[in-house]
Amino acid sequence: MKILLVEDDKLIGESIKEYLELRGSKVDYYSSSKKVLEEVYPSHYDIFLLDINMPDINGYELYEELKHYTSEVAVIFITAYSDIEHVEKAFNLGAADYIKKPFNLKELELRIKRLVFKNTNKIKITEDYEFDLNKLKLFYKNKEVELTQNEKFFLELLVKNIGQVVDFNTLKDYVWEGKSICDNTIRTQVKKLRNKLNENLIKNIRGSGYK
């Protein structure tokens, strides 16, 4: 998943970027709206995270400009404002969601994934393989591949972050729900899963994780 983050508070911005990238997303972080308009290709992103109260061009105005290039990318506005007028303005502009500071980073992650995947059913991985995110089922040439529960969760996480590296700690937390397991357990899981596949769908990124 590729995310455009615009936030003038560098402590908050860097925290969001670090958190989301540890979970497999690619985050382009800007602290200036003007720089975004000079450098960014909006259609390259899956979601926009825009702070409203920016010093040069506010988040509302920035989104209006970005919409000239793409209207398909969902936006979540980030703000310290709590009045209903700002909430109303955000949604009138087409916001998919709105989150108030201070917020929990896990909550932000959940909101992002809900937006990106809420209308998604089957994700095409290769010409022959696709994964159903709603039913957690893998299909090869439209025929279901039998998977264990852990294998389903493992593939779900990789598919939701397709093209991005998912680190070992994220895999442990998501698939094994934080249980104390060693990296060899993950390698064994991958080996068993690969034995069920006709293509090498899972890439090992040495020292980092899997994609």
Side-chain angles (χ1 to χ4, degrees), residues 126-207:
T126 68
E127 187 63 32
D128 294 324
Y129 278 100
E130 59 184 10
F131 190 81
D132 189 321
L133 285 169
N134 293 331
K135 298 179 180 178
L136 299 187
K137 291 182 178 181
L138 179 69
F139 295 91
Y140 175 70
K141 295 183 177 179
N142 296 319
K143 183 178 179 180
E144 184 179 352
V145 179
E146 291 297 324
L147 300 174
T148 66
Q149 194 71 3
N150 276 3
E151 288 168 347
K152 290 179 179 181
F153 291 147
F154 191 94
L155 280 178
E156 179 195 14
L157 187 58
L158 293 190
V159 169
K160 282 185 173 179
N161 297 281
I162 200 161
Q164 306 293 331
V165 179
V166 180
D167 65 84
F168 298 115
N169 287 333
T170 300
L171 284 164
K172 290 176 184 178
D173 289 343
Y174 195 82
V175 179
W176 288 273
E177 298 181 333
K179 294 177 183 175
S180 180
I181 64 164
C182 62
D183 290 348
N184 191 52
T185 300
I186 300 179
R187 286 191 286 270
T188 301
Q189 176 78 81
V190 172
K191 183 178 180 180
K192 289 180 178 178
L193 188 50
R194 281 175 172 160
N195 288 337
K196 297 182 178 183
L197 305 174
N198 294 322
E199 298 178 38
N200 184 19
L201 303 182
I202 305 169
K203 309 292 185 184
N204 178 18
I205 310 302
R206 188 178 296 274

Side-chain angles (χ1 to χ4, degrees), residues 30-187:
Y30 289 83
S31 57
S32 163
S33 295
K34 287 183 179 178
K35 198 168 184 181
V36 170
L37 295 176
E38 292 169 0
E39 299 181 3
V40 159
Y41 294 93
S43 60
H44 289 186
Y45 296 94
D46 298 298
I47 198 160
F48 300 142
L49 300 179
L50 308 181
D51 183 23
I52 291 175
N53 193 21
M54 295 292 292
D56 45 9
I57 300 171
N58 71 48
Y60 298 136
E61 295 168 336
L62 176 60
Y63 182 53
E64 291 278 49
E65 290 296 321
L66 294 176
K67 283 198 296 183
H68 291 156
Y69 303 95
T70 177
S71 58
E72 302 299 319
V73 181
V75 60
I76 297 177
F77 283 114
I78 301 171
T79 184
Y81 295 123
S82 58
D83 57 280
I84 193 63
E85 287 79 10
H86 281 90
V87 176
E88 183 179 22
K89 183 171 182 177
F91 287 116
N92 284 341
L93 284 175
D97 209 344
Y98 183 103
I99 191 166
K100 299 175 185 177
K101 300 176 185 177
F103 53 84
N104 185 285
L105 290 172
K106 181 65 177 177
E107 179 187 354
L108 178 62
E109 180 190 8
L110 292 172
R111 286 171 182 260
I112 289 170
K113 289 189 172 180
R114 178 182 64 83
L115 290 175
V116 172
F117 297 109
K118 70 177 181 179
N119 295 319
T120 303
N121 188 15
K122 291 182 179 179
I123 298 290
K124 200 166 185 64
I125 304 171
T126 68
E127 187 63 32
D128 294 324
Y129 278 100
E130 59 184 10
F131 190 81
D132 189 321
L133 285 169
N134 293 331
K135 298 179 180 178
L136 299 187
K137 291 182 178 181
L138 179 69
F139 295 91
Y140 175 70
K141 295 183 177 179
N142 296 319
K143 183 178 179 180
E144 184 179 352
V145 179
E146 291 297 324
L147 300 174
T148 66
Q149 194 71 3
N150 276 3
E151 288 168 347
K152 290 179 179 181
F153 291 147
F154 191 94
L155 280 178
E156 179 195 14
L157 187 58
L158 293 190
V159 169
K160 282 185 173 179
N161 297 281
I162 200 161
Q164 306 293 331
V165 179
V166 180
D167 65 84
F168 298 115
N169 287 333
T170 300
L171 284 164
K172 290 176 184 178
D173 289 343
Y174 195 82
V175 179
W176 288 273
E177 298 181 333
K179 294 177 183 175
S180 180
I181 64 164
C182 62
D183 290 348
N184 191 52
T185 300
I186 300 179
R187 286 191 286 270

